[in-house]
Amino acid sequence: MFTRRTFLSVAMTAWATRQGRAQGPSTEKVVIEPGEAIAVIRPELHGHFAEHLGTCIYGGLWVGRNSPIPNINGHRKQAVEWLRELGIPVLRWPGGCFADDYHWRDGIGPPEKRPRRVNIHWGNYVEDNSFGTHEFIELCRLIGAEPYIAGNVGSGTPQEMRDWVEYCNYPSGSTLAEERAANGSPEPFRVRYWGVGNENWGCGGNMTPEEYAAHYRRFATYLRDFGDTRLFLIACGPGGNNLEWTRRFMEAMPRRVRMHGYAMHYYSSGKNQATKFTVENLRAQLATFWDLEKAVLEQRALLDKYDKDRRIGLLVDEWGVWDRMDPEEEKRYGRLFQQITMRSALAAALGLNVFHRQADKLVMGNLAQTVNVLHALLLADGPRCIRTTTYYAFELMKPHRGATAVRAHAPEAPPPSLSVSASRRQDELIVTLVNPRHDTGAELECAVTKGSVRAARARILHHPDFNAGNTFDAPDRIVPRDHPVTASGATVRLTMPPLSIVTIQAGLAGV
Ligand code: AHR
């Protein structure tokens, strides 16, 4: 009998033969435990980051009020619309390295009176400060994101940062609150998330953990809650899985000092330019996402020694792929511009799967960076703006936000092969599978250990060439599509081609 499964199997083999390099699909098992809750997947795990770097802000998100490019008060209209559709939960700004050389007063008041400053971190070019605090808050409001401001510890003072908090959050009556009102915002901005510096072990002042701890203690003392806004103060954690930084910093940090978050950064470097990856480059980069998971586990375990009740949340407030830059592209599109490809999408989905699986250990994750820089959601060039495969990976995984992560694993799949995360919202099951292998498709049997599944539907993002991406000339080359999936009894069945991301949503009964 020619069953649906035989049909799929034959189709996959034909597909694989057409590719000339892919192996036929093997059957792989995935186990999903709907009764084993991990934690709520905080929407903030799908956060983003925008720095004054290259053309992320100027020329990317911000085109200026007098631009012929369609804009809303200077914000690129197309970017606003797409970011609002994606529903960015939190946006971190103004850096990055830039944050520790940024003086917020430069970016308030009449734009024509704002000073022109040299961006020393990212190419010594001049910025006119037309995008400052008010513009950032307006952007966040337009796209529905919670603002996260990184303060200046490296070249700033506790007073400067304390004043910034007052300027943003004090309801009314103080000179700084009145200045904010005179600049157009009588209502306080109510900014909760404040980073106390950025990478202070490097571009944020080249400090030792003990030196930074001393600075943190001093700054945090003067950062206060105003009105109904409770601050969430974030300390600078390690680059990668540097356990020594965490241990020495925490040793130097008395428990009474206010700290709500501790931010590690984790980049996955690429050994080639974005569109020139070899299979080896692909494997090496995607394998780092299993190291990221190990880093989250180890950093959290170390923090737990000092913070048994988990009062301090762990963030990965910069993450993503960092490939070798093409000098010509950087010249044209700005520093740290890289083309986003199918491989970048797989990387984004592998990262989000890690965050879902470790939802009990993380409070936020911010991908670097929103437009034209590193692992971007959007690429923009003059009037043109496109959605990248990274954007679509986030879109595909959006249903997990706010759901409860449940245990899920692919027992026969050693890294870097199949990756899975699952979550549950009442009687709905959401599963994201990532197949990062370039040459192996799979027939998947996803079995729930409790209850039964029904009415499954799925969406896929896939392209057979890991170096292909959406470009200004071919903006819709890779977009999500519906994907066939069946659910009966306790099993969901589907096929996954190589290099694909699938999110399944299914009804769950009897749990
Ligand atoms: O995201 C680019 C840079 O990477 C940031 O400015 C810095 O924090 C990190 O090293």
Side-chain angles (χ1 to χ4, degrees):
M1 201 177 111
F2 199 70
T3 62
R4 182 182 153 69
R5 285 196 66 202
T6 351
F7 168 75
L8 286 173
S9 174
V10 169
M12 280 294 286
T13 312
W15 177 87
T17 313
R18 274 202 309 280
Q19 302 310 307
R21 58 196 166 90
Q23 288 168 18
S26 55
T27 301
E28 292 181 34
K29 297 212 183 315
V30 172
V31 178
I32 298 157
E33 305 185 60
E36 295 295 317
I38 300 170
V40 169
I41 296 177
R42 299 165 61 108
E44 292 81 5
L45 297 187
H46 289 217
H48 292 273
F49 166 41
E51 179 169 9
H52 290 230
L53 194 181
T55 54
C56 182
I57 300 288
Y58 295 105
L61 289 163
W62 179 252
V63 294
R65 292 182 180 85
N66 301 322
S67 173
I69 298 170
N71 66 83
I72 306 170
N73 295 336
H75 305 281
R76 185 188 287 272
K77 189 162 180 281
Q78 183 65 90
V80 165
E81 284 169 3
W82 280 337
L83 296 177
R84 189 174 45 213
E85 260 174 48
L86 187 61
I88 288 193
V90 62
L91 187 63
R92 177 174 181 257
W93 171 86
C97 294
F98 181 82
D100 282 285
D101 193 41
Y102 181 64
H103 300 283
W104 66 272
R105 295 205 70 93
D106 292 348
I108 59 166
E112 63 285 359
K113 292 208 173 129
R114 297 184 193 175
R116 296 167 64 79
R117 299 278 186 223
V118 178
N119 184 328
I120 57 166
H121 283 291
W122 300 113
N124 281 344
Y125 62 88
V126 172
E127 294 191 354
D128 65 5
N129 274 302
S130 52
F131 189 93
T133 304
H134 288 253
E135 289 76 19
F136 171 61
I137 298 296
E138 184 175 48
L139 173 65
C140 289
R141 303 289 184 251
L142 285 170
I143 63 176
E146 196 64 34
Y148 166 4
I149 292 182
N152 180 345
V153 170
S155 70
T157 62
Q159 182 185 359
E160 184 184 13
M161 189 165 172
R162 166 247 174 267
D163 284 354
W164 202 2
V165 174
E166 183 183 325
Y167 182 86
C168 288
N169 291 352
Y170 199 76
S172 65
S174 79
T175 300
L176 284 167
E178 296 309 314
E179 191 178 2
R180 182 193 67 235
N183 285 332
S185 299
E187 271 295 297
F189 293 144
R190 297 190 175 86
V191 179
R192 266 193 83 214
Y193 296 114
W194 290 88
V196 183
N198 168 79
E199 295 194 354
N200 301 88
W201 35 263
C203 61
N206 278 309
M207 301 178 196
T208 65
E210 293 78 15
E211 285 164 352
Y212 173 64
H215 277 82
Y216 182 91
R217 291 198 300 267
R218 193 153 165 245
F219 273 68
T221 306
Y222 303 99
L223 305 178
R224 299 299 174 90
D225 300 342
F226 295 126
D228 52 8
T229 307
R230 298 276 157 275
L231 299 191
F232 188 97
L233 299 181
I234 299 161
C236 157
N241 188 14
N242 183 342
L243 292 164
E244 195 195 341
W245 173 273
T246 300
R247 187 181 53 71
R248 286 173 53 187
F249 172 74
M250 292 306 290
E251 287 289 336
M253 191 54 60
R255 267 178 70 85
R256 65 173 189 284
V257 176
R258 274 179 101 201
M259 190 202 314
H260 309 99
Y262 181 72
M264 60 188 282
H265 289 179
Y266 200 99
Y267 283 102
S268 298
S269 63
K271 296 208 171 357
N272 220 326
Q273 290 176 7
T275 54
K276 295 184 180 153
F277 265 51
T278 64
V279 169
E280 272 321 299
N281 300 155
L282 171 85
R283 283 204 187 112
Q285 186 177 63
L286 297 188
T288 64
F289 287 90
W290 278 262
D291 302 336
L292 164 63
E293 189 152 21
K294 181 168 171 272
V296 168
L297 288 164
E298 291 184 359
Q299 289 291 333
R300 186 63 257 180
L302 183 53
L303 280 180
D304 287 348
K305 290 195 181 156
Y306 301 93
D307 173 39
K308 294 196 177 22
D309 318 324
R310 294 206 172 163
R311 288 176 316 133
I312 304 169
L314 180 62
L315 297 80
V316 186
D317 79 347
E318 284 185 30
W319 69 281
V321 294
W322 190 317
D323 305 325
R324 225 173 250 173
M325 301 304 150
D326 173 344
E328 286 310 307
E329 278 186 349
E330 275 198 303
K331 228 182 270 165
R332 168 139 193 213
Y333 303 117
R335 287 292 288 276
L336 302 195
F337 176 94
Q338 57 190 25
Q339 175 60 47
I340 299 302
T341 64
M342 186 62 218
R343 184 236 339 138
S344 329
L346 294 164
L350 289 173
L352 291 183
N353 265 0
V354 169
F355 295 172
H356 297 169
R357 287 195 295 262
Q358 305 306 334
D360 56 336
K361 302 180 190 69
L362 290 169
V363 299
M364 193 188 287
N366 298 320
L367 189 78
Q369 299 193 4
T370 318
V371 183
N372 283 357
V373 169
L374 298 176
H375 206 157
L377 293 174
L378 305 177
L379 299 180
D381 178 31
R384 302 188 293 181
C385 183
I386 63 164
R387 284 175 283 192
T388 67
T389 52
T390 308
Y391 180 101
Y392 290 122
F394 271 75
E395 185 188 273
L396 220 58
M397 297 177 77
K398 191 175 167 184
H400 288 283
R401 293 187 206 162
T404 299
V406 298
R407 305 234 170 260
H409 49 106
E412 290 153 22
S417 46
L418 199 65
S419 153
V420 56
S421 77
S423 62
R424 192 182 150 190
R425 186 183 279 109
Q426 284 102 33
D427 56 1
E428 184 188 27
L429 180 70
I430 306 148
V431 181
T432 294
L433 297 148
V434 186
N435 183 7
R437 295 161 296 193
H438 74 288
D439 59 355
T440 310
E443 285 197 9
L444 293 176
E445 287 183 4
C446 309
V448 292
T449 54
K450 209 171 177 199
S452 61
V453 278
R454 65 189 156 74
R457 61 188 199 279
R459 305 263 293 155
I460 189 169
L461 190 70
H462 158 69
H463 195 281
D465 177 0
F466 51 79
N467 285 326
N470 296 338
T471 60
F472 294 117
D473 296 328
D476 300 319
R477 181 178 287 146
I478 308 175
V479 295
R481 300 181 198 286
D482 291 339
H483 189 62
V485 60
T486 61
S488 91
T491 309
V492 176
R493 289 193 172 84
L494 72 154
T495 50
M496 275 188 87
L499 306 172
S500 61
I501 307 161
V502 172
T503 293
I504 303 162
Q505 290 176 262
L508 195 58
V511 180

